[in-house]
Amino acid sequence: MKQIIGFIISLCFSLVTFQSYAEKDVEALSPELRILLSKEMLSLQEGMKAIIPAYVSGDWYEISHIALKMKNSYILKQSLTNAQMHKLHSTLPDAFLKQDQQFHYLAGMLSHAADMEKPELVGFYYSELTNSCVSCHSQFALHRFPALNSKLTPHKH
């Protein structure tokens, strides 16, 4: 029994340590930057949700329009001062910034696929965007999405 309790305490400590590392990066941002980042994520979520009905109805223009807004950022690029942009880039880990860059690239590719009216490519790039979200949340936002912790979630086949 003591071994089980020790294991659980060790596991909890590991999770808290990992999660607090990810949280420290966000906590180091000013409240204004955290609010903008949160608004950005909510806008991206709304965009991802809006693509599905457009996709199943073949509304390529709408998909392209949404994906282009995602590529160019809804809020951050439009709202940040140079000082805030510098703080964001110097505070967030390089891996986060790289994933963010990849996400915006994929959004651009989704827009292009929609412009070309290629449903199979639209589906592919939408899936890639979704995977990008899950990957980033799994690495940097487990405190918000604990179900994505693969170490705790049993794999079901």
Side-chain angles (χ1 to χ4, degrees):
M1 183 68 154
K2 287 183 182 180
Q3 289 176 328
I4 293 173
I5 292 172
F7 173 75
I8 291 172
I9 290 171
S10 174
L11 181 63
C12 289
F13 180 74
S14 297
L15 289 173
V16 168
T17 302
F18 179 77
Q19 288 177 359
S20 62
Y21 171 76
E23 289 172 1
K24 282 181 188 176
D25 296 326
V26 174
E27 287 176 1
L29 297 174
S30 69
E32 297 84 15
L33 279 176
R34 281 186 275 161
I35 289 168
L36 286 173
L37 189 59
S38 181
K39 285 182 180 179
E40 177 80 6
M41 293 298 147
L42 289 172
S43 294
L44 291 172
Q45 177 180 325
E46 290 304 312
M48 292 294 286
K49 288 196 278 188
I51 287 173
I52 296 296
Y55 180 46
V56 299
S57 62
D59 189 346
W60 312 122
Y61 174 81
E62 182 66 11
I63 296 167
S64 179
H65 177 73
I66 294 168
L68 196 57
K69 284 172 57 178
M70 294 167 92
K71 176 188 178 282
N72 294 327
S73 289
Y74 286 94
I75 295 164
L76 284 179
K77 283 186 182 175
Q78 300 163 14
S79 304
L80 291 180
T81 66
N82 286 338
Q84 288 174 319
M85 184 70 82
H86 175 72
K87 178 69 174 172
L88 193 65
H89 284 271
S90 64
T91 303
L92 296 173
D94 288 338
F96 177 91
L97 297 173
K98 191 172 188 172
Q99 283 200 349
D100 180 66
Q101 184 179 30
Q102 178 67 10
F103 178 87
H104 293 286
Y105 167 78
L106 291 169
M109 293 304 293
L110 174 60
S111 176
H112 179 68
D115 288 340
M116 303 306 293
E117 299 183 8
K118 301 283 187 179
E120 67 285 353
L121 286 177
V122 168
F124 171 78
Y125 283 111
Y126 184 82
S127 176
E128 290 294 302
L129 279 173
T130 303
N131 289 337
S132 179
C133 294
V134 171
S135 175
C136 191
H137 294 166
S138 297
Q139 291 179 54
F140 303 106
L142 281 176
H143 56 285
R144 298 258 345 244
F145 307 104
L148 293 176
N149 189 341
S150 63
K151 294 178 178 95
L152 293 180
T153 307
H155 297 281
K156 297 177 185 174
H157 296 282

